Amino acid sequence: MPELPEVETTVRGLARYLEGERIARLTLNRADLRRPFPEGLVQSLTGASVTGLGRRAKYGLIHTDRGTTMVFHLGMSGRWRIEPDRIEKHDHLVLETGSGHVLALNDARRFGSVDLVDTDKLDAWPPFAAMGPEPLGYELTPKHLQQAFAGRIAPVKQLLLDQGIVAGLGNIYVCEALHRARVRPDKEAGKVSLPALKRLVPAIREVLTESIAAGGSTIRDYAQPSGELGYFASSWQVYGREGQACACSAPVQRFAQGGRSTFWCAKCQK
């Protein structure tokens, strides 16, 4: 599934073609993705001008001058194709701008979604209202994690994946951040010390920032809007590297945790 860096990369790519543009035509080539497209989506956005783009957790935001925002989620396999040579079978939403740009939301598995939300009510929109702070924002602090983890016996990795504690973190980047911070992924969250949390918060920011700069991590179907593949996977220190040597020379280990694979180094993370 595209994670936060992949969505951020996507939004930045779209901004080059959409910001300040008028939406001349919006075409829906089927009735739904994971759920139906919003009623009146075409009518609401046709003729609107894009005032800006943004991201909340793993959702992309396309703001318009009509006070509405198109919120998209890429699901498992979604991606935006820019200036495609032709419209393909899985290009389910096609957007054309007044200056002639064509952008197609392609989603072969249809696990993604598109919603239309009043811009001034985005914070209160149910999927967003329950979310914790953005991991790249100032609200994510060691103190915030300490308070969220207080008394919790659940593993620290599981709680970092809880969107109500931190918005947008996924399996790859939590594994990598915990390794950089030298924190065991299965340690009880309430027992993670404040000094460890002071290592963990900057580690989260660093791994996300580096991945965004690299265009994200390519997993299965994901690609940037330009069609290029993200290359941060080449920088993974533990994720997907079971049996390979960590930088400390000890072998990277893997175990199942909450239905996901957790990768870590027993020597570095104690």
Side-chain angles (χ1 to χ4, degrees):
M1 177 182 292
E3 295 194 18
L4 185 154
E6 289 76 53
V7 179
E8 180 68 27
T9 300
T10 294
V11 167
R12 293 183 184 187
L14 292 175
R16 295 166 51 196
Y17 295 85
L18 280 181
E19 196 154 9
E21 290 278 346
R22 182 178 62 86
I23 300 173
R25 180 179 300 172
L26 185 69
T27 303
L28 303 179
N29 293 325
R30 61 174 297 113
D32 57 11
L33 294 177
R34 176 159 47 95
R35 57 178 180 268
F37 285 111
E39 185 176 352
L41 178 68
V42 173
Q43 180 180 0
S44 296
L45 294 185
T46 301
S49 293
V50 176
T51 57
L53 289 90
R55 177 194 53 76
R56 178 69 167 120
K58 300 177 187 179
Y59 291 83
L61 311 173
I62 301 175
H63 306 299
T64 74
D65 64 349
R66 293 182 177 173
T68 56
T69 295
M70 189 175 90
V71 182
F72 66 86
H73 194 288
L74 297 175
M76 295 292 291
S77 61
R79 63 189 181 99
W80 283 90
R81 300 199 309 131
I82 293 178
E83 314 289 22
D85 294 332
R86 60 185 178 84
I87 298 304
E88 298 179 350
K89 175 181 178 181
H90 300 299
D91 290 335
H92 304 309
L93 180 152
V94 180
L95 189 156
E96 300 174 48
T97 72
S99 61
H101 295 307
V102 178
L103 303 94
L105 179 57
N106 183 288
D107 190 353
R109 301 185 187 183
R110 300 202 312 276
F111 287 159
S113 62
V114 170
D115 292 279
L116 191 65
V117 182
D118 290 341
T119 305
D120 61 0
K121 297 178 181 178
L122 275 172
D123 289 343
W125 188 50
F128 291 172
M131 284 183 179
E134 285 286 321
L136 294 175
Y138 294 113
E139 293 180 352
L140 178 61
T141 63
K143 192 68 175 178
H144 167 76
L145 291 182
Q146 185 181 49
Q147 292 173 347
F149 293 168
R152 303 290 296 272
I153 63 172
V156 60
K157 185 197 168 199
Q158 293 300 100
L159 292 192
L160 287 173
L161 292 172
D162 183 338
Q163 301 298 290
I165 293 177
V166 186
L169 288 184
N171 196 40
I172 295 172
Y173 300 103
V174 170
C175 286
E176 291 293 310
L178 287 169
H179 177 260
R180 293 188 184 204
R182 306 188 305 280
V183 176
R184 287 180 62 100
D186 56 353
K187 188 178 183 69
E188 289 184 16
K191 294 183 178 179
V192 179
S193 68
L194 184 58
L197 295 176
K198 288 181 178 179
R199 298 193 303 270
L200 180 57
V201 168
I204 290 170
R205 291 199 177 103
E206 287 167 7
V207 72
L208 292 174
T209 300
E210 290 173 19
S211 183
I212 291 168
S217 301
T218 298
I219 304 176
R220 298 190 180 95
D221 304 309
Y222 171 73
Q224 299 178 57
S226 63
E228 297 177 359
L229 302 179
Y231 57 88
F232 186 68
S234 63
S235 299
W236 290 346
Q237 296 178 16
V238 288
Y239 189 84
R241 301 187 67 241
E242 181 184 11
Q244 299 180 45
C246 171
C248 72
S249 77
V252 173
Q253 300 181 34
R254 181 188 71 83
F255 65 94
Q257 191 178 30
R260 297 180 176 92
S261 290
T262 292
F263 298 88
W264 70 301
C265 173
K267 184 177 179 180
C268 293
Q269 298 168 257
K270 297 181 179 180

